[in-house]
Amino acid sequence: MTKRTKLGCFCAGSVFFFAVMIALCGFLALKVKDFPAIGTRKRTVTVVTCTYTRLTQKADLTRLVQTLMHVSSLHWIVVEDSDKKTPLVKKLLENSSLKYTHLYTKNTAAIFKHIQTLNIALAWIRANVKPNEGVVYFMDDDNTYDIKLFEEIRTTKVLSVWPVGLVGGLLIEGPVECKNDRVLTWRVSWRPDRTIPIDMAGFAINI
């Protein structure tokens, strides 16, 4: 009885041991497979968002956070139009689990919206991001974004453009006719005489 019990324990223990080893090997194989090979890692998308205090600010930024949480290899630069970092934005970013940089400056330009906050973000990028390290995209704080867009952005070699929905009273605004990597005609409503009549959400730049 004792021998049979020991043998039974040994057999059961062996089966359990091998089952654990097989599972562990499978887990390790999966993990190794999940790691990209050197030189094939995803390029970082640096997203710049300018924001300002208003009734819907928290709701708008929360929507962006919950979109960006699904995007890998991303760095979010949030610039407040303010004399200081506000507790609302600071707490929201801290709780977001995203990689972010929180900046601020007060816009005083009367004509161009966000011009000074954008310049602060660009200055930070020039000082902290190495050439060819990724792509920059300007993300408005009150828009809605499909996460598929960010994978398209990641492939930008120099500059990429695309249509944007519900802009300037139009259903779709952006490039209409392209040839040899150049945009020949645009569909826009606001100041179509601009040299490059494009919405801020409609392009990305390789760093």
Side-chain angles (χ1 to χ4, degrees):
M1 177 66 71
T2 303
K3 289 183 179 180
R4 291 175 63 185
T5 302
K6 287 183 177 179
L7 181 61
C9 291
F10 173 77
C11 291
S14 298
V15 171
F16 177 77
F17 173 79
F18 285 115
V20 170
M21 289 302 295
I22 290 171
L24 181 59
C25 289
F27 174 78
L28 291 175
L30 178 62
K31 286 299 181 183
V32 170
K33 185 178 179 181
D34 285 347
F35 281 113
I38 295 175
T40 63
R41 293 187 178 182
K42 286 187 176 181
R43 302 171 70 210
T44 299
V45 177
T46 300
V47 176
V48 177
T49 298
C50 299
T51 187
Y52 62 96
T53 300
R54 61 188 185 282
L55 185 63
T56 62
Q57 184 185 31
K58 185 175 182 179
D60 289 336
L61 290 177
T62 298
R63 181 177 63 253
L64 293 191
V65 166
Q66 295 188 3
T67 297
L68 296 178
M69 285 172 62
H70 298 281
V71 182
S72 60
S73 301
L74 180 136
H75 184 183
W76 194 20
I77 300 177
V78 179
V79 190
E80 290 196 71
D81 182 355
S82 174
D83 293 321
K84 60 182 179 180
K85 295 179 181 179
T86 63
L88 185 152
V89 176
K90 185 175 183 291
K91 184 176 180 180
L92 185 141
L93 290 173
E94 288 174 347
N95 294 334
S96 70
S97 76
L98 295 170
K99 181 180 179 181
Y100 69 88
T101 297
H102 187 188
L103 307 172
Y104 69 92
T105 190
K106 189 65 179 175
N107 272 311
T108 56
I111 300 176
F112 299 105
K113 180 183 178 183
H114 298 320
I115 187 67
Q116 286 160 296
T117 45
L118 285 172
N119 283 340
I120 287 291
L122 291 173
W124 188 94
I125 290 170
R126 291 191 187 100
N128 295 278
V129 181
K130 297 178 182 178
N132 299 315
E133 196 170 89
V135 181
V136 174
Y137 178 56
F138 300 98
M139 186 179 191
D140 289 336
D141 67 346
D142 57 352
N143 284 356
T144 302
Y145 300 85
D146 189 326
I147 59 174
K148 295 176 183 177
L149 172 65
F150 298 94
E151 295 309 311
E152 292 291 333
I153 289 173
R154 216 182 294 277
T155 64
T156 299
K157 295 180 179 179
V158 179
L159 173 72
S160 56
V161 298
W162 50 82
V164 178
L166 307 177
V167 179
L170 297 177
L171 183 62
I172 298 175
E173 177 182 278
V176 175
E177 182 184 0
C178 302
K179 186 177 181 180
N180 298 326
D181 295 329
R182 292 182 179 275
V183 179
L184 302 180
T185 57
W186 301 81
R187 174 180 168 79
V188 296
S189 63
W190 184 74
R191 290 189 57 186
D193 58 325
R194 288 174 290 163
T195 303
I196 305 177
I198 193 170
D199 187 82
M200 286 294 292
F203 69 96
I205 306 171
N206 181 60
I207 301 175

